[in-house]
Amino acid sequence: MNPTTCTQRQGLKRRRCLRLFPILGVIASWGLVVNAFAVEPLSLLLPEQKTIAIRDPDQLRRVETEPGPPPATVNDLQSTIPERPLSLDEAIAIGLVKSEVVRVLGGVTASTSGRSVYDVAIANSRIDQERAAFDPQLRANNAFNHLENPAAGLDPLNPGQSIISGISNDAYGLDFGLSQRNLTGGTTAIGVNPNSNRFDPGVFPLNPQNRSSVDVSYVQPLLRGFGTNANRVPIVLARIDTERSYFQYKSSVQQLVQGIIEAYWALVFAKTDLWAREQQVEQAEFANLRAMTRFEVGDANAREVAQTKLALENFRANALASQANVLQRQAALLNILGLPPYELERLTPTTPMVEEVIEVDWQAINDFAQTQRPDIIELKLVLEADQQRQRLADNQAKPQLDGVALYRWNGLEGVVPAGNRISTSPGQFTDWTMGVNFSVPLGLRRDRAVLRQQTLVIRRDEANLQQGLHQMQHLLALNVRNLEQFYAQYERFKAVRAAAKVNLDQQLASYSEGIEQFIVVLQAIVDWGNSVSNEAQALSQYNTELARLELQTGSILETHGIVFFEERFASIGPLGRLGPDHVYPATTVPSANTNRYPAGDRPSEENLDLEDPVSPDIKAEPAPGVKSDLDEQLEFKNIDQPTGKPMTDEEIDEILPKPAKSSSLRDLLRRSLRR
């Protein structure tokens, strides 16, 4: 037959041309071509990504940072910034408030730990995702269909002639059902399926014709997929992952608190070290002034002046390095506290360091650490999770054996050619099905391999847990040794400082009388400054190690009164925007933590009994009628002063170098200049 021939239906005079279909085909092909050119002009079919598309950085989201002044440097100390006393408890509170992303200390800077306050809530949402597998499932599928199926047959009006005719069917179908899976693995379902059909031409027993059915079914796995333990594994794993996320977050917060304490004590030590170096500079300036004075009157040679000048410049260089270290430690403390790198107020530590020895119960901290350390708890949770996966793998290594049951009520109604409507009575026609379905991969190679793998993973987890406990004990032992070492060093350096103070006093007294060479005084100055720095460093390390011991035992948060509570956040719930708001209350900012450290009323470094290194004995007046070597060498300073009239302190201050005015060394010069 000619493909352009039109069909004629019985009793119908309308004609529909088949030429419409080639036109629709051309339109569809043109749509594919246009779509291909839109993706990549040079490719018509299966376009490939052959170029790298990179946007200009200006097109990305811009995030504004808070503007501020430049940070302090060694050339711009910004000494006019007002000071703000900061206790260690207050520092910890600031760090906790600003720890939306948790930071950890690393040397003289702080970096993100990779943990945030949102991690636990994100992990917790997975529990509902896994529980959703047991939620009722509702389906409703509507379909309106118009069907015309052509068929060839004999023309009843012209015997021997063939014609093409067709029947149109306007149909409507509804598939409505509700199903739910239970914890044993079984699935209960109920379905309703009404279908309506209207035929044209209408030579049918029923036209229109309505079929409907209601069915109830149940499928129960008997081997694979059976049992509450196996079906609850995804939910249990999600809960374990939430616990792991919580303890990972807790571990990062513990490191944050320990980092704040370490940065705080490091700043106290740096300021103490700077003070000692500045005192060394002051003493070297006095010695250099004295040498130059003696050189001017011809009582000293250029070697002594050069030697004192070299010592002075070395001490100034050391003081500059100490000043830079103070700035770095201040920046590290600001960083880990979540504050900007510039200061509108200079944070001044006021909490004194602990100077008492702390006794450690070795067995107690071992037992406590096993139950409180987040990393040990996480290893235990990993073992529990893999045990759950083994349970699931054991269930999946079984054949698939399902019991099935179905019961269906069928109905039919419609209009007969005579025009009257007939229908079935309720429950007149029913179906039922009962059976058992079985399937199994021969050998179960894959599933048994997964089970064997999971068994080995559990053995590995147990070994990792033992290694974690082993490592924990060695870290605790290291902490105990460090505590003993740092405190013993603190006591030794404290004695060294006292001896260095006496030695410096004696050497300065001898030097001022011309008995000792400057090289001996220089060594005394170096020894004294180093003893002050070493004492402060040992005490700082001891206090830092106390916090590190609390970190290793997992008790650093509890000892500082820091606890976690379940924090919810504003979010849309299962009921949508019509749901009650109180289900998801707003976040709560951290409250103040327990005060553990005394605030102090002066800078922390001053609690180390920092005082000028000049002994009162050196300041004593010489015997009547006896001039010291210093007196004689500085007499030329008084050439304009009337004989017998002593200079006032104000007049002496005018001729003294500026550094000497801030130290008790000025008394030595005053004594030599007073007549």
Side-chain angles (χ1 to χ4, degrees):
M1 180 176 287
N2 193 327
T4 61
T5 302
C6 299
T7 60
Q8 179 179 6
R9 294 180 178 175
Q10 297 180 3
L12 296 178
K13 299 298 183 182
R14 58 183 179 174
R15 303 168 65 88
R16 294 184 178 178
C17 241
L18 292 177
R19 291 175 181 174
L20 177 63
F21 295 100
I23 296 175
L24 293 177
V26 171
I27 294 175
S29 301
W30 176 252
L32 292 175
V33 172
V34 171
N35 182 64
F37 271 103
V39 176
E40 189 172 344
L42 300 180
S43 180
L44 300 179
L45 297 175
L46 301 177
E48 298 179 355
Q49 186 71 31
K50 298 180 180 179
T51 60
I52 300 176
I54 300 177
R55 290 177 291 171
D56 188 276
D58 291 336
Q59 296 177 331
L60 302 178
R61 177 183 177 184
R62 297 183 64 88
V63 180
E64 299 294 336
T65 57
E66 183 179 356
T73 64
V74 291
N75 294 325
D76 181 18
L77 296 178
Q78 301 179 2
S79 56
T80 59
I81 296 178
E83 292 188 354
R84 174 192 170 187
L86 179 71
S87 68
L88 183 50
D89 285 322
E90 185 180 2
I92 294 174
I94 294 174
L96 291 175
V97 170
K98 295 184 176 294
S99 61
E100 192 173 13
V101 175
V102 184
R103 296 166 295 277
V104 294
L105 186 67
V108 293
T109 187
S111 58
T112 176
S113 65
R115 297 291 166 185
S116 71
V117 295
Y118 305 102
D119 294 343
V120 183
I122 292 173
N124 193 48
S125 63
R126 189 180 159 217
I127 297 177
D128 278 340
Q129 297 175 29
E130 298 297 341
R131 292 176 62 184
F134 302 97
D135 290 343
Q137 301 292 320
L138 178 67
R139 73 178 187 277
N141 301 318
N142 287 275
F144 296 87
N145 300 311
H146 178 77
L147 306 176
E148 291 185 359
N149 296 316
L154 297 176
D155 187 352
L157 300 179
N158 299 302
Q161 297 292 325
S162 298
I163 62 171
I164 294 179
S165 62
I167 300 174
S168 68
N169 178 15
D170 293 313
Y172 166 74
L174 171 63
D175 179 17
F176 178 85
L178 184 66
S179 63
Q180 184 173 15
R181 178 186 170 196
N182 56 41
L183 286 176
T184 64
T187 301
T188 304
I190 181 172
V192 178
N193 299 276
N195 292 278
S196 298
N197 294 274
R198 186 180 297 273
F199 305 99
D200 185 17
V203 185
F204 287 90
L206 293 177
N207 189 17
Q209 173 181 291
N210 299 322
R211 288 185 178 274
S212 61
S213 65
V214 177
D215 58 77
V216 177
S217 63
Y218 183 75
V219 178
Q220 176 62 59
L222 302 177
L223 291 177
R224 174 184 292 188
F226 174 77
T228 58
N229 292 333
N231 286 283
R232 291 179 69 250
V233 166
I235 300 176
V236 175
L237 288 176
R239 288 174 175 166
I240 293 176
D241 286 343
T242 301
E243 288 184 281
R244 288 184 60 191
S245 179
Y246 167 79
F247 285 106
Q248 289 170 351
Y249 174 67
K250 182 177 181 180
S251 177
S252 64
V253 175
Q254 288 184 338
Q255 295 178 50
L256 169 67
V257 174
Q258 189 272 332
I260 292 174
I261 297 173
E262 182 176 348
Y264 191 91
W265 296 136
L267 177 57
V268 173
F269 159 69
K271 297 181 70 174
T272 307
D273 180 69
L274 175 60
W275 176 86
R277 304 311 171 191
E278 288 176 341
Q279 294 301 312
Q280 287 179 324
V281 170
E282 207 166 307
Q283 296 168 54
E285 285 175 340
F286 166 75
N288 182 247
L289 174 62
R290 181 183 182 280
M292 290 190 298
T293 303
R294 294 181 60 193
F295 179 75
E296 290 180 14
V297 299
D299 192 48
N301 54 39
R303 293 193 304 271
E304 183 177 352
V305 175
Q307 191 178 50
T308 58
K309 182 64 175 178
L310 175 61
L312 175 59
E313 294 305 329
N314 277 329
F315 286 135
R316 284 174 175 171
N318 293 336
L320 180 65
S322 295
Q323 181 66 70
N325 188 40
V326 169
L327 296 178
Q328 295 285 18
R329 294 301 176 179
Q330 285 176 337
L333 182 60
L334 292 174
N335 193 345
I336 198 169
L337 292 182
L339 300 175
Y342 55 86
E343 294 179 285
L344 300 179
E345 293 180 320
R346 181 65 45 80
L347 299 181
T348 303
T350 59
T351 297
M353 289 189 282
V354 177
E355 300 184 31
E356 296 80 17
V357 62
I358 304 297
E359 299 293 339
V360 177
D361 187 334
W362 171 251
Q363 189 59 44
I365 63 173
N366 267 276
D367 295 340
F368 191 78
Q370 290 188 32
T371 59
Q372 295 298 317
R373 277 179 62 109
D375 59 332
I376 299 299
I377 296 175
E378 186 179 357
L379 289 174
K380 295 177 181 178
L381 292 175
V382 169
L383 178 58
E384 287 187 10
D386 285 331
Q387 288 172 341
Q388 291 292 326
R389 293 188 180 95
Q390 184 194 37
R391 178 176 295 174
L392 181 61
D394 181 65
N395 182 270
Q396 293 298 311
K398 297 177 180 179
Q400 187 74 43
L401 180 65
D402 299 338
V404 297
L406 175 121
Y407 197 87
R408 179 184 294 118
W409 294 267
N410 298 312
L412 178 66
E413 66 172 347
V415 178
V416 299
N420 58 314
R421 179 176 294 273
I422 62 175
S423 64
T424 59
S425 58
Q428 183 177 358
F429 297 92
T430 58
D431 300 334
W432 62 269
T433 300
M434 294 189 68
V436 176
N437 299 328
F438 177 82
S439 65
V440 59
L442 296 180
L444 288 169
R445 184 191 302 272
R446 178 183 177 277
D447 296 320
R448 292 188 180 276
V450 172
L451 177 59
R452 183 173 66 253
Q453 178 189 35
Q454 204 58 45
T455 303
L456 294 173
V457 168
I458 290 178
R459 296 294 299 271
R460 183 190 65 186
D461 293 339
E462 293 174 345
N464 287 336
L465 178 57
Q466 292 298 324
Q467 173 59 28
L469 294 172
H470 172 80
Q471 182 70 11
M472 176 205 71
Q473 288 186 320
H474 277 273
L475 290 175
L476 291 176
L478 177 63
N479 289 137
V480 172
R481 288 194 299 269
N482 286 343
L483 280 176
E484 296 285 348
Q485 173 190 342
F486 294 148
Y487 192 81
Q489 287 179 337
Y490 163 66
E491 291 185 320
R492 295 284 71 79
F493 285 131
K494 190 174 182 180
V496 171
R497 176 184 174 186
K501 175 68 164 53
V502 174
N503 180 57
L504 180 59
D505 292 345
Q506 296 297 325
Q507 301 306 331
L508 281 174
S510 299
Y511 179 64
S512 65
E513 297 175 1
I515 300 175
E516 292 290 354
Q517 296 295 322
F518 176 72
I519 188 64
V520 180
V521 179
L522 174 61
Q523 186 60 47
I525 295 174
V526 172
D527 291 340
W528 175 84
N530 290 342
S531 67
V532 174
S533 178
N534 291 336
E535 178 190 355
Q537 184 178 34
L539 188 58
S540 172
Q541 291 174 326
Y542 176 70
N543 280 261
T544 301
E545 198 65 26
L546 286 175
R548 190 172 287 116
L549 178 62
E550 294 175 344
L551 173 67
Q552 298 298 341
T553 57
S555 62
I556 190 170
L557 299 185
E558 288 75 10
T559 55
H560 289 82
I562 301 171
V563 296
F564 295 98
F565 62 93
E566 184 180 3
E567 182 178 354
R568 301 177 183 269
F569 58 97
S571 175
I572 189 169
L575 298 181
R577 302 191 181 280
L578 300 179
D581 294 336
H582 66 270
V583 176
Y584 293 92
T587 56
T588 304
V589 297
S591 59
N593 51 293
T594 302
N595 293 328
R596 178 183 176 186
Y597 303 96
D601 55 359
R602 57 178 179 170
S604 299
E605 65 272 14
E606 294 184 5
N607 292 282
L608 294 173
D609 297 328
L610 301 183
E611 59 182 10
D612 292 344
V614 179
S615 171
D617 296 336
I618 301 178
K619 303 176 187 177
E621 296 292 339
V626 178
K627 288 186 178 181
S628 69
D629 180 67
L630 184 61
D631 294 334
E632 295 175 353
Q633 304 308 325
L634 296 181
E635 278 185 348
F636 79 98
K637 293 288 186 180
N638 304 316
I639 56 176
D640 297 329
Q641 195 69 16
T643 304
K645 183 179 180 181
M647 295 178 66
T648 64
D649 289 346
E650 291 75 11
E651 292 171 335
I652 294 175
D653 287 339
E654 290 179 1
I655 66 173
L656 287 177
K658 183 178 180 181
K661 294 181 181 180
S662 60
S663 169
S664 59
L665 289 171
R666 66 201 291 265
D667 295 335
L668 289 174
L669 293 173
R670 278 182 174 177
R671 179 163 54 84
S672 298
L673 295 175
R674 227 180 253 122
R675 293 291 176 264

